Amino acid sequence: MSPLARWCHRHRLAVALAWVGLLLALGAGVGAAGNDFGTSPTSQNTDSAKATALLQQASNSAAGESGRVVWQLRSGKVTDPAAERPMTRALEHIADAPGVAAVTSPYLPEGKGQVSEDGRTAYATVAFDRSVADAQIDHVKELATAPESGDLHIALNGQAFTVDPKPNAVADAMGIVLAFIVLLFVFRAVWVAALPIITAIVGVGTSAVTVILLSHVVTLSDMTLTLGSLIGLGVGIDYALFIVNRHRVNLMAGMGVAESTAKALNTSGRAVVFAGLTVVVALLGMLTLDVGIINGMAIGAAVTVALTVLAAITLLPALLGMIGPRVLSRDERREAAGQARQRSSGRPGLWGRWAARVQARPKALGLVALAVLAALAFPTLSLRLGASDDGNLPATSTNRQAYDMVADGFGPGFNGPLVLAVQAPTAADRAAEAKLVTALEQVDGVASATAAPLKDGQTVGVISVVPTTSPQSEATSDLIHHLRDDVIPEAEQGTTMKVYVGGVTASNDDFASVLMGKLPVFVLVIAVLGFLLLTVAFRSLLIPAVGAVLNILSIGVAFGAIVVVFQYGFGAGLLGLGAAGPIESFVPILVVGIMFGLSMDYQVFLVSRMREEWARTGDSRRAVRVGQAETGKVIAVAAAIMVCVFGSFVFGGMRVISEFGVSLAVAVAVDALLIRMVVVPALMHLCGRANWWLPRRLDKALPRVSVEGPADEPAPQQPVREPQGVYVA
């Protein structure tokens, strides 16, 4: 890494201009090509996917999206003239509006079922053309809400009227500002605070335009950009900080800027590359799950991490060369030049004192920390996956208001009916379909079941089943499985009829079931991968084994945090995150990959310094204490920065991204402060020299990788002795 650092230092202006040119060129490409974000199937070989495919194959409709206009009277009935006249006029205007294919009014015979039994709530369905423009949908929204008055409340929901929350730029910027304040407060030097942020922003900006261009090649959702920014800013600032901190230590030791930059990149820079690669490997490991939406997010996040690492090892050395010794504060520059009083070697700092305390009481502190971690991870046992819908939006949202009005007037299950696709090629099959409808009406948990009449020549029928419970209820999920396992097989016996349970609610349930089945295997694969990487890096079996177990515990803390906030609803209202509900199905999978990488980062930076001291002295207790003391400050600052960045995304207005923000912010804080600063050193103190044991045959077979600095030197036969009563670090 030293030759790269020296080259970037010598050609610092060219390197900086090259990054600016790359960013501008990619930006020009985005300006010319635009983006092609889309969605990919979430479920493939599931019952709901078969139902969707069958219905699409049988349908010849050219209609596009549809939506609901829902209205409710605070007093009186919707059939009263005071409500019927203005709503009828509004629906007539909507029917004549550009882009509208059809309107089904509750005031016409075909819409008689669209008025609630108590007469206070009604809805109309609006079907749009496939080519409808956003401006035309906005015009329909204005027409629909025009009759609103003090007694008549109108709200909109449905696919066409869904308001996708946009990322909050202010909240995102807040994380960067807080990170700058933390760095400035800790290091008291403006450039120390600015350089990691500049490097991360350049890396994330370059990756953002790269991902936009990549959307033309790979199916990516527009959420990929926000997720990439969340991860990229956090790891980008941290990676740059580790290098800058090592550079500052070198300068304080009397090195020149060029020599210090080369040494920093050859030590901390190596660790950054190794840590970044582990994150990339973990993210790309999600491709083995073969789930479209996760594949796209994993690729986008991996590209972001790779480019932030590239910026840290090329752009940052160039910037360090431009800044020169100003990366130190004035007092530090005077101290480095010998103009200030010498630091006392007998008084360790905060992290030195804490490291000595962990060494003195490893059992007690380790057990307390493990108990806290277990308590934080305990809610994971009740983790329930699903999909958020309008019912999880804040109460001020028109989509949430329409959802509540429909649930109040027609029942909670009306917001998520099950759609049964019935393949009935013969007359006997069509008779069996009619019997199935009758049987469905008698099933516990079914509010109603209706079959659409089949036209001449049609062989695929549709049965709409309205549950008595909400789409996200566990009872609704149980109903889906009961229909598939018991009711439908009984109806199909003796016929050629085939019935598949579909619809949005069933699709979400299938997707959650698929991912829940893959989650334990993925966690196990990640743990084994972490064990292998750490074994190669640290020439040890015990350290990787402990690291793998603690990584799983760290992931459990992340899951526990989102279960408490989003599934139990504690604090969700105060944070403006809407109502409680199940966790978005793909969030745990991505959290596993991300937290594995981030946990590995801290483990690498902590243990690599311990390994360096062990190779030099052969004293395990000293190596653990010195490694913890010297990395404690930078790991704590790095974790604080990640908490600021991840925490800012909680207020971004997107529930899914908020789930990532809460889980990662809590898990990173706990991982850095409890796991890396208490549990890991405590266990290593208890294990002593066994930490570094590796069978000779395995040692010869494994490739040698120097994570931080030159190849490891063999430990000396006799440990280096410390003077009594003096702290040495």
Side-chain angles (χ1 to χ4, degrees), residues 548-574:
V549 173
L550 292 179
N551 283 354
I552 294 176
L553 193 55
S554 179
I555 290 168
V557 171
F559 289 177
I562 52 176
V563 167
V564 169
V565 175
F566 294 92
Q567 189 172 313
Y568 296 167
F570 292 118
L574 295 176

Side-chain angles (χ1 to χ4, degrees), residues 581-606:
I583 307 304
E584 204 74 32
S585 300
F586 56 84
V587 167
I589 294 289
L590 287 165
V591 167
V592 168
I594 296 167
M595 272 312 300
F596 164 78
L598 299 182
S599 298
M600 285 283 288
D601 285 358
Y602 294 144
Q603 185 79 344
V604 166
F605 288 115
L606 174 65

Side-chain angles (χ1 to χ4, degrees), residues 151-237:
D151 196 43
L152 178 63
H153 181 47
I154 302 172
L156 311 173
N157 74 347
Q159 189 178 17
F161 295 140
T162 296
V163 180
D164 294 324
K166 301 299 181 184
N168 189 334
V170 175
D172 299 349
M174 187 182 300
I176 297 175
V177 171
L178 290 175
F180 179 83
I181 293 173
V182 169
L183 288 169
L184 189 61
F185 175 77
V186 172
F187 293 102
R188 311 286 177 166
V190 173
W191 282 114
V192 179
L195 286 177
I197 291 175
I198 292 172
T199 305
I201 289 176
V202 172
V204 171
T206 305
S207 65
V209 289
T210 302
V211 167
I212 293 174
L213 292 175
L214 194 62
S215 68
H216 294 276
V217 182
V218 181
T219 302
L220 303 173
S221 80
D222 54 3
M223 195 186 304
T224 305
L225 282 180
T226 306
L227 181 63
S229 297
L230 182 147
I231 300 170
L233 285 174
V235 301
I237 295 175

Side-chain angles (χ1 to χ4, degrees), residues 24-47:
L24 292 176
L26 292 172
V30 170
N35 70 75
D36 191 23
F37 291 120
T39 56
S40 53
T42 54
S43 301
Q44 298 166 353
N45 191 30
T46 60
D47 207 57

